[in-house]
Amino acid sequence: MVEFLISPFSEFEFMQRALVGVIAIALGGGPVGVFLMLRRMSLTGDAMAHAILPGAAVGYLIAGLSLPAMTIGGLIAGVIVAVAAGLVSRLTNLKEDASLAAFYLLSLALGVTIVSLRGSNVDLLHVLFGTVLALDDQTLLLLASISTITVLALALLYRPLVLECVDPTFLRSVSRSGTPVHLVFVGLVVLNLVGGFHALGTLLAVGMMMLPAAAARFWTNDITVMMVVSIAVGIVSGIGGLLLSFHAELPAGPAIILTAGGLYGLSLALGREGGLLWLAWPGKHLEA
């Protein structure tokens, strides 16, 4: 059993790099996913994951599989779509979720078209599903930087973010920080999605944000503990998915997300805060 769990990471450098990458993604994406969930913005995260695709595709068209070009392109595209969706929702009768849906569908179609103009099917699969088993030093440094920036920013903005989750009206009545904090938070979402894009692709990057956060919600009501549990679930999902990919010869990105989905299902069934088992058999014998 020890050899089954340890040998892939001790013997193969690409597995070690993938492990570092998924840990970095979990450290940044887990807390961001918790706030997305508590702010009822889960589908916004999915929309933004698709929104970065055309920018990354333009970077690819200009410079090939260049990390700086695709990163900068993805960041620009994500910010443009977020701002455009917000403006449409404020200037028209269309709600923000509907405008985001429209923009992300257009972004996905445009991004796939741009990649197809120059690249092969392999390049398209790289953009859509990532290459977590082929992370280089430059990409690992980017992922580590993003997770560091995210943790520091959330530490500074923790109180207003929590207040906005609990009572946004009260926050607006006592402070003008609501809008700036929201914009910074959206920037962190885009930043983490761009980082996750390089490892898991545009279709799966949001999975390492939302599935661990949703699983953590079934174990605690405390936001700080929820973020810690979300990070832990993300790390376990990354390790389990990489091992599943290695031993079962499955694609690594989907294996990681499937593992996260399995942990979500386990939390849904057994979680102390609204899990199905605790709802089906309430009583003192199940109380803490």
Side-chain angles (χ1 to χ4, degrees):
M1 178 61 70
V2 173
E3 183 179 352
F4 179 87
L5 297 175
I6 302 299
S7 61
F9 300 112
S10 62
E11 296 178 10
F12 299 98
E13 185 179 356
F14 70 90
M15 289 291 286
Q16 296 170 9
R17 291 176 178 274
L19 177 61
V20 173
V22 296
I23 289 175
I25 292 171
L27 287 172
V32 170
V34 168
F35 281 112
L36 276 172
M37 177 184 64
L38 295 178
R39 291 157 65 98
R40 296 177 177 85
M41 294 174 61
S42 300
L43 292 179
T44 300
D46 185 51
M48 295 306 299
H50 294 80
I52 66 176
L53 181 56
V58 170
Y60 167 79
L61 198 64
I62 295 172
L65 294 173
S66 166
L67 180 67
M70 295 179 72
T71 299
I72 294 171
L75 285 172
I76 293 173
V79 171
I80 289 174
V81 168
V83 172
L87 288 174
V88 168
S89 67
R90 284 162 177 77
L91 298 177
T92 69
N93 292 328
L94 197 65
K95 299 295 184 181
E96 189 168 10
D97 60 339
S99 61
L100 268 173
F103 277 110
Y104 102 74
L105 289 170
L106 290 172
S107 298
L108 180 61
L110 179 61
V112 171
T113 302
I114 292 173
V115 175
S116 301
L117 288 176
R118 176 174 170 177
S120 63
N121 289 336
V122 174
D123 295 326
L124 184 58
L125 288 175
H126 168 87
V127 170
L128 293 179
F129 298 105
T131 52
V132 69
L133 295 180
L135 300 177
D136 56 19
D137 290 343
Q138 196 177 16
T139 307
L140 290 178
L141 285 173
L142 174 68
L143 295 177
S145 299
I146 289 174
S147 64
T148 302
I149 292 170
T150 300
V151 171
L152 292 176
L154 291 178
L156 292 172
L157 301 176
Y158 182 79
R159 293 187 67 182
L161 280 172
V162 171
L163 264 179
E164 193 170 24
C165 292
V166 176
D167 193 345
T169 303
F170 175 75
L171 178 63
R172 286 194 296 268
S173 68
V174 300
S175 173
R176 297 181 180 178
S177 64
T179 299
V181 167
H182 177 74
L183 293 175
V184 172
F185 177 71
V186 171
L188 291 176
V189 173
V190 174
L191 195 62
N192 279 272
L193 288 173
V194 169
F197 159 81
H198 290 294
L200 299 172
T202 187
L203 295 183
L204 299 177
V206 73
M208 279 292 278
M209 277 188 184
M210 300 315 308
L211 286 172
R217 182 63 184 87
F218 287 108
W219 295 103
T220 179
N221 284 322
D222 184 280
I223 295 178
T224 304
V225 177
M226 202 180 298
M227 289 192 290
V228 173
V229 173
S230 178
I231 292 172
V233 171
I235 293 174
V236 172
S237 300
I239 295 172
L242 289 173
L243 289 171
L244 177 63
S245 169
F246 182 86
H247 292 293
E249 298 183 359
L250 297 174
I256 291 171
I257 302 305
L258 285 173
T259 304
L263 292 176
Y264 166 76
L266 188 66
S267 300
L268 173 64
L270 304 178
R272 293 174 58 89
E273 299 294 336
L276 296 178
L277 179 64
W278 292 76
L279 293 176
W281 287 284
K284 291 184 178 180
H285 66 290
L286 290 178
E287 292 176 0

